[in-house]
Amino acid sequence: MFLTTEQQKMLDGEHGHAIAKLTHLIVKIGEVNGATRLIPIKNAQIAGVSYLTVGEPIFSFFNMLSEDNVKVSVPSWLNPAGMDMKKWKEMGIKNDFAEKQRRIIKQYQEMGIQTTLTCTPYLIGYKPKFGDHLAWSESSAVSIANAYYGARTNREGGPSSLASAIIGFTADYGLHKKENRVPRIVVDVKATINHFSDFSALGYWYGEKFHGIIPYFKSVKNANIDQVKMLGAAMAASGSVAHFHIAKHTPEAEKVDLSHISETVTFDESDKKQIYNHFNQIKERVNLVVIGCPHSSLEDVKLIDSSLGDKSIKEGIKFWVFSSQKLMQNDEAKKLLTNLEEKGVKIFTDTCMVVSPVVRENYKNILTNSAKAAFYLTRDGTNKVTLLSLSEIIEGVSE
Amino acid sequence: MKTIKIRTIVEGIVEGIALVSPIPISFFGGVDAETGIITDSENPLFGESLTDKIFVFPESKGSTVGSYVIYGLSVNNVAPLALIANKAETIVIAGAILANIPFVDKTDLDVTTSIKTGDKLVIDTTQNIIKIKKE
């Protein structure tokens, strides 16, 4: 691989042992993937925050970094943690977990990383620009950055995005190169796609069938950010799909090279139904509703409020919505939260149903409108999850 | 004695006993960073220790924080002597570099069938080869 004089110095240890290791890591990942150079990144989004997902080993790694007093060199922000940083007790998080979680966040903060604790940085002002090179690691955010904004990022891991945030470079391979961003499969969407859960079902269906292959969706009528984030998240979860195009909606779709299409498939009502049937598992009473995978926007929260109208959530059922701290801070949001709390809807920030231990541990029968959440919550077989549209959920759990 | 060609990811000259996982390994959730013991109940090596073995596996899977588990194994002095995979990907590359554990891949044979648990191996990355001395 070609390295600039400065990059070579980093690799040779002139900026310390930790920088040398992290540079080595990025260079090696690049070499294995055929990269011939490193490219600067605009910013980084770093996963590996929840104590549930990183466990004790992260502390050894932090020790190595703090010995050299390492800081990030580009704007960087964090994925969700394992708990709401303020309302963790209300969630049922134990003291020991909370203490470990706070330690992890503090360590990241000391490296100069913003503690946004969200999987949707693009909803809180960090919108990537067309053509920007990034090192993002949350799989749904990666797919939105590529598809909806036309920025360029591979699906990084927690460690590689952190390494890139610190050294300021990533290796030039995969989705950083135009030729690797072309679609291979056309999906003709014949089924009606209205609800967020429909977008999620479409994504889940595609990812499961065509692992890792970039699709080109046609006949999709609406594709706003809240709809596309459901589609992208589900596809990334079921099939590690990190980029996609939607005709007439996503920025690369119009000019993209369609000469590599090898197959056209249709997504019809029966395919949609098959996904809803797969996640139709609750046989007993519902314990918990979880909304906000990916994190809810303010519009999402308003929709919950307007769908509920004058009704409240039934006794014995918990209704949890996950979002980011920053979105829930302004006066309009605060008023909305108070209003929703009175109706039995609880908004937690900084965390989600997937990375917090309490949802899986404490609630058996869970309703959601996100196929990604359904996928992760049912993976080890202890929880039963049913996927429904938001309006169906609210109809069923309110009175 | 059989010789296999390799690609070097992390350098080293290592002699040791092979422990072979026939299926992809998830370091996160599948290996205990404090003890080096394989905790994935679906793996035939369940309950065995990686410590001081040359760990052979087809590829890795699961969460990318598996890299921190590999680093943790080394900090806790329970790391494997070296790693051999059919296909290196980001999780193990990052972990092996952080932990400085010799790591090789892209052999000309399927390592999980050409190497057996208990075989005595010599990895020499200066020559890009593994020598297998049968048990």
Side-chain angles (χ1 to χ4, degrees):
Chain A
M1 184 181 296
F2 169 80
L3 294 181
T4 63
T5 317
E6 182 54 26
Q7 290 163 354
Q8 190 63 50
K9 281 182 184 167
M10 290 160 76
L11 186 63
D12 291 344
E14 287 196 22
H15 299 283
H17 168 75
I19 295 284
K21 277 226 157 165
L22 299 176
T23 309
H24 187 190
L25 190 158
I26 295 299
V27 167
K28 222 23 149 182
I29 290 170
E31 281 177 358
V32 166
N33 289 291
T36 55
R37 60 174 190 157
L38 300 183
I39 47 174
I41 54 160
K42 283 271 166 64
N43 52 58
Q45 193 269 354
I46 298 160
V49 182
S50 168
Y51 179 67
L52 177 72
T53 60
V54 293
E56 287 298 309
I58 191 98
F59 295 112
S60 318
F61 180 62
F62 283 150
N63 285 343
M64 178 190 94
L65 297 180
S66 60
E67 272 171 27
D68 277 8
N69 195 24
V70 160
K71 305 269 186 249
V72 293
S73 63
V74 295
S76 306
W77 40 86
L78 290 182
N79 219 30
M83 63 188 201
D84 186 309
M85 298 308 288
K86 289 195 188 103
K87 296 192 279 190
W88 54 273
K89 274 197 178 148
E90 256 178 76
M91 293 182 76
I93 295 282
K94 299 196 174 80
N95 286 330
D96 181 51
F97 185 95
E99 191 263 322
K100 298 257 167 73
Q101 185 62 73
R102 277 192 296 256
R103 247 175 83 198
I104 292 170
I105 305 231
K106 188 161 170 277
Q107 295 265 14
Y108 277 125
Q109 211 167 11
E110 282 170 4
M111 286 181 240
I113 302 168
Q114 300 176 52
T115 55
T116 50
L117 306 178
T118 183
C119 54
T120 59
Y122 48 87
L123 291 180
I124 59 167
Y126 304 119
K127 291 181 188 171
K129 293 196 180 66
F130 190 88
D132 277 357
H133 292 281
L134 318 169
W136 286 24
S137 51
E138 153 56 32
S139 70
S140 71
V142 164
S143 118
I144 298 309
N146 282 313
Y148 194 80
Y149 294 100
R152 298 179 177 200
T153 175
N154 284 319
R155 183 180 160 125
E156 299 290 344
S160 64
S161 63
L162 180 57
S164 283
I166 291 165
I167 69 169
F169 297 97
T170 189
D172 187 20
Y173 72 95
L175 292 173
H176 291 288
K177 298 178 101 72
K178 196 178 172 192
E179 64 267 29
N180 297 328
R181 300 174 65 84
V182 298
R184 308 271 159 181
I185 292 180
V186 170
V187 185
D188 190 0
V189 181
K190 298 244 195 250
T192 311
I193 301 291
N194 277 337
H195 302 288
F196 292 139
S197 52
D198 297 338
F199 280 86
S200 204
L202 168 60
Y204 191 87
W205 172 85
Y206 178 83
E208 215 181 22
K209 269 186 133 61
F210 302 104
H211 205 270
I213 302 174
I214 299 174
Y216 180 91
F217 293 100
K218 60 177 202 181
S219 329
V220 175
K221 286 197 191 78
N222 306 302
N224 68 37
I225 184 68
D226 288 323
Q227 294 166 328
V228 173
K229 79 180 200 263
M230 300 302 283
L231 173 71
M235 218 170 357
S238 65
S240 303
V241 179
H243 186 29
F244 58 94
H245 305 274
I246 307 176
K248 297 188 184 123
H249 292 289
T250 55
E252 288 179 353
E254 201 181 329
K255 288 183 184 163
V256 78
D257 177 5
L258 294 175
S259 68
H260 299 275
I261 297 292
S262 59
E263 200 181 338
T264 297
V265 295
T266 57
F267 177 73
D268 55 30
E269 290 297 334
S270 67
D271 297 312
K272 188 171 93 179
K273 206 165 172 223
Q274 178 213 323
I275 301 301
Y276 281 105
N277 286 344
H278 175 68
F279 293 117
N280 178 18
Q281 305 172 348
I282 301 181
K283 302 279 177 273
E284 306 151 326
R285 201 181 148 74
V286 171
N287 311 121
L288 176 71
V289 176
V290 286
I291 307 289
C293 173
H295 271 172
S296 294
S297 66
L298 197 54
E299 286 67 34
D300 289 338
V301 180
K302 282 182 192 164
L303 184 64
I304 295 168
D305 188 50
S306 63
S307 310
L308 256 176
D310 296 334
K311 293 185 186 171
S312 294
I313 305 303
K314 287 179 187 166
E315 276 292 309
I317 299 176
K318 288 193 175 169
F319 195 115
W320 287 3
V321 179
F322 298 96
S323 184
S324 55
Q325 231 178 74
K326 191 155 181 205
L327 281 185
M328 296 301 134
Q329 269 169 355
N330 68 38
D331 290 343
E332 188 194 6
K334 279 184 186 160
K335 210 175 144 196
L336 196 56
L337 295 201
T338 319
N339 201 15
L340 280 169
E341 289 234 353
E342 281 168 11
K343 297 177 190 172
V345 175
K346 188 82 51 202
I347 315 262
F348 290 113
T349 62
D350 322 319
T351 186
C352 78
M353 62 292 255
V354 175
V355 296
S356 175
V358 292
V359 170
R360 234 163 308 172
E361 282 170 13
N362 300 348
Y363 302 94
K364 188 165 174 257
N365 297 316
I366 304 169
L367 280 181
T368 185
N369 68 343
S370 163
K372 171 177 177 171
F375 171 69
Y376 282 109
L377 291 173
T378 53
R379 228 172 17 161
D380 64 2
T382 50
N383 303 90
K384 301 282 179 217
V385 176
T386 293
L387 176 72
L388 290 173
S389 72
L390 184 62
S391 46
E392 287 169 315
I393 291 175
I394 289 184
E395 180 65 36
V397 303
S398 65
E399 56 188 10
Chain B
M1 192 174 66
K2 195 159 67 176
T3 302
I4 305 179
K5 279 190 198 147
I6 50 167
R7 172 172 73 173
T8 300
I9 310 282
V10 180
E11 293 166 2
I13 298 175
V14 179
E15 193 172 333
I17 305 296
L19 180 71
V20 183
S21 168
I23 60 170
I25 182 98
S26 172
F27 281 90
F28 179 76
V31 178
D32 183 343
E34 279 177 37
T35 59
I37 288 177
I38 295 171
T39 54
D40 174 5
S41 59
E42 282 172 21
N43 195 304
L45 299 179
F46 176 73
E48 302 243 11
S49 166
L50 298 177
T51 308
D52 296 336
K53 297 277 170 45
I54 294 179
F55 185 54
V56 182
F57 55 98
E59 58 187 311
S60 58
K61 60 171 186 174
S63 167
T64 60
V65 296
S67 310
Y68 300 140
V69 174
I70 299 173
Y71 184 69
L73 290 169
S74 125
V75 171
N76 296 323
N77 294 315
V78 290
L81 287 177
L83 299 163
I84 302 175
N86 281 332
K87 192 178 147 213
E89 53 58 73
T90 307
I91 301 172
V92 185
I93 297 171
I97 288 173
L98 294 173
N100 203 21
I101 299 171
F103 178 32
V104 302
D105 83 330
K106 242 186 185 173
T107 60
D108 46 6
L109 297 163
D110 177 355
V111 288
T112 63
T113 53
S114 52
I115 302 173
K116 303 264 178 288
T117 292
D119 283 351
K120 196 172 171 194
L121 308 180
V122 179
I123 300 174
D124 183 350
T125 62
T126 61
Q127 298 182 62
N128 284 328
I129 52 163
I130 305 170
K131 292 178 200 158
I132 308 174
K133 301 171 184 169
K134 286 289 165 194
E135 195 184 355

